Amino acid sequence: MSGLSEKETEGCKAILNSLSKVELFALKDTVTNRMITVESVKEAVQAIISYSQCAEELLKRKKVHKEIIFTYLADQGVVIPPNAEKHVLVKKALEHWKTPKPIVEVRKPVAEVETDNEVHRERGNAKSCDYQVLGEEFCKWFYRILNSQNPSLELVPQEWGPQHFWEDAKLKFCYSTSEQQSEEYQGAELVSLRLLALVRDELLFFNPNLDANGLKCVSSPHGLVMVAVAGTIHRNTACLGIFEQVFGLIRAAIGNSSWKIKSVNLNITGQNVVEDGEAEHQPLPTLTYQSSELQGFYG
């Protein structure tokens, strides 16, 4: 009877299981018009799924709070401003469920991106990785665990730390408000701690643009992959500015399909504060780096 696809069913079940038992049973009564009797949470979830005409109808129910949808999307690696309206969250969830599963997956909790392709297992191998897909999956993984460290979002913090970086990793951080300033750090511990401080202490939230005009990836003949992404910076209900971030990724081991962060270049440009309600109607920033410029990061 349900009009939900397999992916929609799986996602809606995860969201429904986040409701309290009282809310879940009340929602079951609403959806089934009290015509169905259940004895367990599992039965209640199944009844709600079965008697919902579509996923959108279910997500728009009052008892499916926007905070629950936001937390689900964050767990799925879908990055969205924390103060987005519910209709935006519903739209993002529906889009997420319609998106085919990519060939690249991110392993938790280590910063390792896996692919089913044989990626440069030896020099001259004709098979290659889809680096654009790898970059997109890496960014979903990276910003999900980084944003989860922000206490104002009330998310369960994901495992963050120096284990995701090479020992000699470097961070160059430039930010421009009234004047331009820059900082540089070297070593996995210092790099991971400075990035952590941005979200944990300064309460920043990174909202990357993972569309084709906001994300670009190039690779060197020596196995270094540069992933560049643009996006907006938020704190609480305000959009503070835009950022561009370039990551250098190197495979963790020869013949392995896992990656760790070698370098990070982060540029933040402040702007007049815009409330998130207004920012929702503005397009996400596009990446200004050209592929030839990214190649300059190889060194």
Side-chain angles (χ1 to χ4, degrees):
M1 188 178 297
S2 171
L4 282 65
S5 69
E6 184 177 345
K7 289 189 69 174
E8 289 173 339
T9 298
E10 181 182 340
C12 285
K13 282 183 177 181
I15 290 173
L16 292 173
N17 281 319
S18 298
L19 296 174
S20 69
K21 188 173 181 179
V22 172
E23 290 177 318
L24 186 65
F25 275 62
L27 179 58
K28 183 273 300 179
D29 287 342
T30 300
V31 173
T32 67
N33 199 23
R34 298 180 181 271
M35 298 296 289
I36 301 295
T37 300
V38 299
E39 297 181 355
S40 67
V41 167
K42 184 177 180 180
E43 290 178 352
V45 169
Q46 189 58 53
I48 294 169
I49 296 292
S50 298
Y51 285 85
S52 293
Q53 296 297 315
C54 63
E56 183 175 9
E57 175 196 74
L58 175 51
L59 294 180
K60 287 183 176 180
R61 298 282 186 181
K62 289 183 179 180
K63 289 184 174 60
V64 182
H65 311 298
K66 73 173 188 177
E67 292 78 11
I68 293 175
I69 304 175
F70 174 82
T71 301
Y72 167 79
L73 290 172
D75 289 342
Q76 293 293 306
V78 180
V79 181
I80 191 168
N83 291 93
E85 296 295 328
K86 183 178 178 180
H87 70 89
V88 176
L89 297 170
V90 170
K91 180 182 178 183
K92 286 290 185 181
L94 295 174
E95 290 175 352
H96 174 65
W97 293 331
K98 287 181 181 178
T99 304
K101 185 177 180 181
I103 60 172
V104 180
E105 296 182 351
V106 179
R107 258 196 320 209
K108 302 176 187 177
V110 184
E112 298 177 340
V113 182
E114 296 184 345
T115 174
D116 291 333
N117 292 342
E118 292 181 355
V119 187
H120 300 308
R121 292 196 180 278
E122 56 186 22
R123 191 173 293 181
N125 192 338
K127 294 187 178 180
S128 64
C129 174
D130 184 340
Y131 288 112
Q132 193 72 13
V133 176
L134 184 149
E136 181 179 341
E137 289 304 301
F138 167 79
C139 287
K140 286 180 180 179
W141 169 85
F142 179 84
Y143 292 110
R144 180 178 72 242
I145 65 169
L146 184 61
N147 286 329
S148 75
Q149 313 302 317
N150 185 328
S152 68
L153 302 182
E154 299 182 349
L155 297 173
V156 177
Q158 307 278 319
E159 186 174 339
W160 174 267
Q163 70 271 20
H164 302 313
F165 301 83
W166 288 97
E167 284 297 323
D168 59 348
K170 294 181 180 180
L171 166 64
K172 184 174 183 181
F173 174 33
C174 299
Y175 51 99
S176 176
T177 49
S178 56
E179 59 182 31
Q180 185 166 331
Q181 301 182 60
S182 64
E183 304 172 7
E184 292 192 20
Y185 301 87
Q186 184 161 357
E189 187 72 31
L190 290 177
V191 171
S192 65
L193 285 175
R194 185 62 184 104
L195 292 171
L196 174 62
L198 291 175
V199 293
R200 186 187 62 189
D201 304 331
E202 300 179 42
L203 303 180
L204 298 181
F205 173 87
F206 288 78
N207 182 33
N209 177 10
L210 301 184
D211 293 336
N213 59 356
L215 175 70
K216 187 169 293 185
C217 305
V218 297
S219 63
S220 79
H222 307 292
L224 178 66
V225 176
M226 307 307 303
V227 177
V229 63
T232 50
I233 289 281
H234 304 254
R235 179 184 291 126
N236 296 324
T237 62
C239 178
L240 305 180
I242 62 175
F243 75 89
E244 285 189 302
Q245 195 160 8
V246 182
F247 301 92
L249 306 180
I250 294 181
R251 195 180 307 283
I254 297 175
N256 197 347
S257 55
S258 59
W259 302 77
K260 294 174 70 173
I261 303 169
K262 177 73 171 178
S263 64
V264 183
N265 285 265
L266 173 60
N267 293 310
I268 295 179
T269 303
Q271 63 180 23
N272 293 331
V273 175
V274 178
E275 289 300 313
D276 280 346
E278 303 171 42
E280 284 178 20
H281 304 291
Q282 299 179 356
L284 283 171
T286 58
L287 193 65
T288 60
Y289 289 112
Q290 300 299 318
S291 296
S292 56
E293 293 177 287
L294 292 181
Q295 292 170 3
F297 288 95
Y298 288 164

